[in-house]
Every structure is written in structure tokens, then in C-alpha cells.
Amino acid sequence: MHGMISLLKRLFRRGGDSHSTDDHNPIYTRQEHNISRADISESALKVLYRLKSAGFEGYLVGGSVRDLLLGREPKDFDVTTDATPEQVRKLFRNSRIIGRRFKIVHVRFGREIIEVATFRGSNDDARTSEEGMVLSDNVYGTLEEDAWRRDFTVNALYYNIRDFSVVDYTGGMADLNKGMLSLIGEPEQRFREDPVRMLRAVRFAAKLGFRIAPDVEQAIYRLGYLLQEVPAARLFDEMLKLFMSGHAVASFEGLRHYRLFEHMFPATEVCLAHEEAGFPRTFITRAMANTDKRLAEDKPVTPAFLLAALLWEPLRQLAEENIADGEPAYQAFHAAADVVLSQQVKHISIPRRFSVMMREMWIMQTRLPRRQGKRAFALLSHDRFRAAYDFLLLRAESGEVNAELGEWWTRFQQVDESEQRVMVRALESDGSGHSKKRRRRRSSPRNRRADG
Ligand code: ATP
Ligand code: MG
């Protein structure tokens, strides 16, 4: 009898396949969770209701459900459905189908875009590369199949518009309560399929303050090198999410802790590994703290600033070598920038508009000490002055340059023009400000080469 019941149970278990966890109830009714429709964007609700009235299933999924359950404000709202992209497209005038391999629909409401994806099937038959990386997975599937192919259990929770319940096939609710990031399935296999999931682990840990499950941690330590296979453009997108979402410091610490950083910024890692006085680590974390703070205050930020900071130490060291070889500072920095940038974009692509900005900020660092005559005034009206000045302040705070230089520029921006002229003249009389070209070239031993 008993055997019979367990057999029946197994047969009737939802989806009934080998993945399902025993005794795990996948449905949390509307009374059993804290998601309220008032916290869901109106656009997302419109999409869900329209799908429902057209006879389709409609669920909120991914980061939005996770964040709502945690009482945080979701960044965006993703919807999943059994309707095909073509069917979704027909339901919404303001929509378009995007993606070639796996089609999804973008429904636009003013500035907000709701992404609607059709349930995706398991990728058992997907083509994979030699390392196991998934090259194509574009089959539609059921809700449960859709859940099992997601990355972390906490990202595989669904909010059902039909009865306002939360559907949890993978144990995401328990992990959410524990503050734990567990991968769905076998970590090594999931990371081989898509190494970017390692970066996502670090990102979510930083953002949510969650712990990474021990088996996931171990797999990251073993497989970090797989990041080398990820296209540079995708790493750029992922890097933005890590560093430009308000928790850059924690992400940076996490990336270094799990030894992923070295696969993203190898030249910087070399400098960090050999650092003596705490620089450039202090400098980088200050730049990141600065970005986090600006985001928290809703001030504009650019990845160019962070990237310029991340690559500053390798650049500076290379430029110093060029200077030691007799090159003028300006040329030395340009040549070093060529090398550092071309090496870096092999790992993480940097769109031109940002690399142009980075180079300007770097070159400005060589010009900011030279303030005599009309120079200071010219620099002040330069497009990149503000960013370069902020950069200089960070260098000063980290003890790389003399604090007086930063203070001088701070004051220069505060006073009126006649006072500014006084400040410039004062430099001339005390002999600082780099009036004569070679006067204050840094006199490290390397600058005086024995072989001349
Ligand atoms: P965020 O708050 O940063 O938007 P998110 O969890 O919504 O976090 P997205 O990158 O927007 O992350 O992805 C949405 C959902 O798609 C995820 O929650 C996850 O379920 C699924 N997903 C995204 N990337 C992957 C991946 N590489 N592998 C498996 N599932 C993924
Ligand atoms: Mg999201």
C-alpha cells in the first residue's frame, strides 16, 4: 500500500521529473507572501492583465519577484508567459520583437520597457562548445522547465497574475530567507554553460548582502579562468552592472576575493598584487565609493571615470618607464595609454566614447600641475576639467600626489578672476607650477639611467 502511494505521488508530482525536490510545495498563496500589487509597476500589471484576459498565462519573474519579496524596489520588471512572441506582439501596439536566437518582446510605456519572454525549455539538446558553453538554446517550454534553466534559486520565483501566488520549483523561497545564493543544478556544469554566472554570483552577493553557497564558491575558485572565453562585449555589459549599480565597492572586493578580477583586469591585478603602500587599492576603492555615493545621490556617473581609475596604476607605471627613457610626459602618457587600452580591450571591450574620455582624463593629469601664465584658465574651460579634477582629488586623497595641488585647484574654482590671477602669480614667484619644462620631472632613480 505504502509503496503504491509513493508511486502515485511520484507520478502526480508537478512536472513529475527527476529535478523536483521531494515534499516541496511549489505554491505560496497570496496570504503566504508579502508581494503587494501596489509595489508592482503599472506597466507590468497592464501587460500581465492583458495576457490573462487573452487567455494566456502571465508571471512576473526574476529580479523583480526576488526584490519585491525582500522588500526592495526592483530595477525593472520581467514577464514570462506561454504566449509566443508573435502572439504577444499582436496584443500590444507599443511592442516589438527583439533577439535573433531567442525572441523576446519589448513592450514600451514611455521610458519604461517591460520585457516579455516565452517560457524557455531545457537545453538538454543545446549545442555546446568544447568547454561546455551553451551556444544555442532556443526552445520554448513549460513554466517548470523555464524555472530549472535559470541561474540562482532566488531568481527563479514567479508571481502568478491569475491568483497572486508565488510559484517556487527550485527552493528559492528558502534560500531567500537564508540569504543564500544557490545555483540551480550542478555548479560546475552551470558555470561551464555560461561563465558569466560566476560574475552574477558576486554581483548578487554584493547587491543583496547574501552569502554564496559553499559548492558554488568552490566551483568559482576552480573555474574562474573560463571568463577568458566570454566575448569582450558581454563582459563590458556585465562590468557595468557590477560597478554602476550602486555597490561597486562590494563587487570589487568580491571579484578579488573569488579571484575573478584577474581575468577581467589583468594588468591592474598585477599592480594590486605587488602593491606596497596600499596604493592602488585605496585609490580604486575610493573611486568606487565615489561612484556608489554619486548614484545614491542621483548624480550623473560615467563608466569612463571608474575605468580610468582601474587602469591608472598600470598606465602610470608604464608612462614612468617611457619618461625614464627620455620621452616627454605628454608623449609618454599617450604611448602608455595606447598600450594599456589595447591590452585591456582584449578582455573587456570599451566603447570608443569612453576610451576617448579616459585618455583625456589621464592626459589632463600631466597638465594639472602646470598652471602658469594662461594655462590654468585654459584647463578650467576644458570639457574634461571637472572629471580630471575629481580624479586628481582621488589621487591626492590616496597619497599619490601632493594634497596641495588638489587644494589649489579647489580654491581656484571658488575665487573670482582677479584672485585667480593672484594665485597664478604666486606660483611664479615661489617657483612651483612647472613653468619651465623639465623643472620638476619626477626624479626617481629610474629617470637617471646609467647608460644615458
Ligand atoms: P537585476 O536586479 O540586476 O536586474 P535580475 O535577476 O533581474 O537582476 P537579469 O540579468 O535582469 O537579472 O535577468 C533576469 C532573470 O533572467 C534572472 O533573474 C534569471 O532568472 C535569468 N537569467 C539572467 N541571466 C541568466 C543566465 N546567465 N543564466 C541563467 N539565467 C539567467
Ligand atoms: Mg532584471
Side-chain angles (χ1 to χ4, degrees):
M1 187 63 185
H2 240 82
M4 180 77 158
I5 287 174
S6 70
L7 179 69
L8 282 175
K9 254 193 184 163
R10 222 176 310 149
L11 281 172
F12 287 111
R13 203 195 295 132
R14 229 164 231 283
D17 71 276
S18 57
H19 293 299
S20 297
T21 25
D22 286 303
D23 302 325
H24 169 66
N25 174 12
I27 309 282
Y28 292 81
T29 65
R30 63 189 298 192
Q31 289 84 20
E32 291 172 318
H33 65 74
N34 63 343
I35 296 183
S36 143
R37 264 167 294 162
D39 299 326
I40 301 174
S41 101
E42 272 177 43
S43 318
L45 285 173
K46 265 187 214 158
V47 170
L48 290 168
Y49 282 130
R50 177 115 24 120
L51 285 168
K52 181 179 128 174
S53 36
F56 296 113
E57 290 180 60
Y59 297 85
L60 219 51
V61 66
S64 57
V65 181
R66 179 196 67 216
D67 291 350
L68 287 169
L69 287 168
L70 290 171
R72 305 169 68 107
E73 192 186 335
K75 203 176 66 196
D76 42 36
F77 292 85
D78 295 333
V79 166
T80 181
T81 177
D82 60 346
T84 64
E86 289 73 19
Q87 288 169 325
V88 175
R89 169 73 195 87
K90 281 194 193 123
L91 284 179
F92 302 95
R93 221 170 21 88
N94 48 337
S95 69
R96 60 194 193 99
I97 294 180
I98 62 155
R100 264 165 295 150
R101 266 183 359 180
F102 192 82
K103 290 181 192 157
I104 58 170
V105 182
H106 275 181
V107 188
R108 181 181 282 278
F109 299 86
R111 285 175 60 209
E112 191 178 9
I113 290 177
I114 305 296
E115 216 173 270
V116 185
T118 307
F119 298 147
R120 233 154 134 174
S122 68
N123 44 36
D124 291 348
D125 315 316
R127 289 195 305 127
T128 54
S129 73
E130 267 171 42
E131 295 280 5
M133 193 143 71
V134 172
L135 301 176
S136 70
D137 62 321
N138 46 8
V139 270
Y140 299 137
T142 62
L143 173 65
E144 175 156 11
E145 283 169 336
D146 188 89
W148 291 107
R149 56 159 293 285
R150 289 179 183 270
D151 50 6
F152 299 94
T153 61
V154 295
N155 285 348
L157 294 161
Y158 298 77
Y159 175 78
N160 188 350
I161 199 63
R162 230 163 252 285
D163 58 4
F164 313 119
S165 63
V166 168
V167 186
D168 173 16
Y169 287 110
T170 66
M173 208 61 122
D175 281 331
L176 208 62
N177 291 328
K178 277 188 284 187
M180 182 73 84
L181 285 167
S182 311
L183 262 177
I184 297 170
E186 207 277 304
E188 171 139 356
Q189 186 197 336
R190 299 311 306 280
F191 285 149
R192 285 189 183 279
E193 284 169 9
D194 181 5
V196 166
R197 288 171 185 151
M198 294 187 275
L199 299 180
R200 291 174 61 83
V202 170
R203 174 158 73 87
F204 293 129
K207 168 175 164 161
L208 307 170
F210 276 26
R211 271 170 309 135
I212 301 179
D215 62 334
V216 178
E217 284 190 310
Q218 290 313 312
I220 295 178
Y221 285 129
R222 283 197 310 275
L223 302 172
Y225 70 93
L226 290 174
L227 286 180
Q228 290 162 11
E229 285 187 49
V230 178
R234 184 152 180 235
L235 281 189
F236 177 75
D237 292 342
E238 214 47 46
M239 194 258 326
L240 289 188
K241 293 186 192 173
L242 282 156
F243 295 149
M244 307 296 288
S245 333
H247 35 79
V249 174
S251 294
F252 172 67
E253 303 290 350
L255 291 174
R256 287 213 74 218
H257 176 84
Y258 289 106
R259 292 186 227 123
L260 297 176
F261 186 77
E262 62 203 63
H263 302 295
M264 303 173 77
F265 294 92
T268 308
E269 177 60 33
V270 170
C271 297
L272 285 165
H274 292 124
E275 73 178 359
E276 277 154 37
F279 190 86
R281 189 191 153 129
T282 330
F283 176 64
I284 291 172
T285 46
R286 274 175 199 268
M288 298 204 161
N290 190 287
T291 299
D292 288 347
K293 183 157 168 282
R294 290 181 66 93
L295 282 165
E297 294 166 352
D298 268 332
K299 288 187 185 161
V301 289
T302 168
F305 189 85
L306 266 191
L307 285 166
L310 278 164
L311 296 173
W312 172 247
E313 187 58 17
L315 173 95
R316 201 185 61 81
Q317 291 189 11
L318 206 57
E320 289 288 325
E321 277 173 35
N322 294 342
I323 289 170
D325 286 344
E327 273 185 51
Y330 177 83
Q331 267 177 35
F333 270 80
H334 264 302
D338 286 341
V339 173
V340 168
L341 283 169
S342 64
Q343 201 265 8
Q344 180 58 42
V345 297
K346 287 181 193 153
H347 305 273
I348 303 182
S349 65
I350 302 175
R352 235 191 103 66
R353 63 182 185 286
F354 297 135
S355 57
V356 167
M357 222 189 273
M358 290 160 67
R359 193 186 280 269
E360 285 174 342
M361 286 171 52
W362 286 336
I363 299 300
M364 287 279 275
Q365 301 309 306
T366 67
R367 296 175 60 192
L368 286 170
R370 306 152 76 101
R371 292 156 286 172
Q372 291 190 327
K374 297 208 167 69
R375 283 183 184 134
F377 295 95
L379 286 170
L380 194 56
S381 61
H382 193 287
D383 273 353
R384 214 51 71 205
F385 174 79
R386 187 66 212 192
Y389 161 75
D390 286 344
F391 200 84
L392 176 73
L393 287 189
L394 281 180
R395 292 173 61 211
E397 281 172 28
S398 321
E400 187 222 338
V401 285
N402 203 323
E404 276 162 35
L405 182 59
E407 284 157 16
W408 191 93
W409 277 110
T410 304
R411 185 165 145 69
F412 192 69
Q413 294 172 76
Q414 289 161 347
V415 298
D416 64 16
E417 210 183 312
S418 64
E419 185 64 23
Q420 287 177 329
R421 275 193 227 105
V422 173
M423 287 179 72
V424 170
R425 240 173 283 129
L427 295 173
E428 278 155 25
S429 56
D430 79 4
S432 67
H434 292 224
S435 61
K436 285 179 202 126
K437 249 195 161 162
R438 321 220 148 217
R439 174 163 207 135
R440 239 229 255 162
R441 180 186 283 173
R442 200 170 274 135
S443 53
S444 79
R446 265 189 297 174
N447 278 0
R448 294 183 224 104
R449 294 198 316 176
D451 59 1

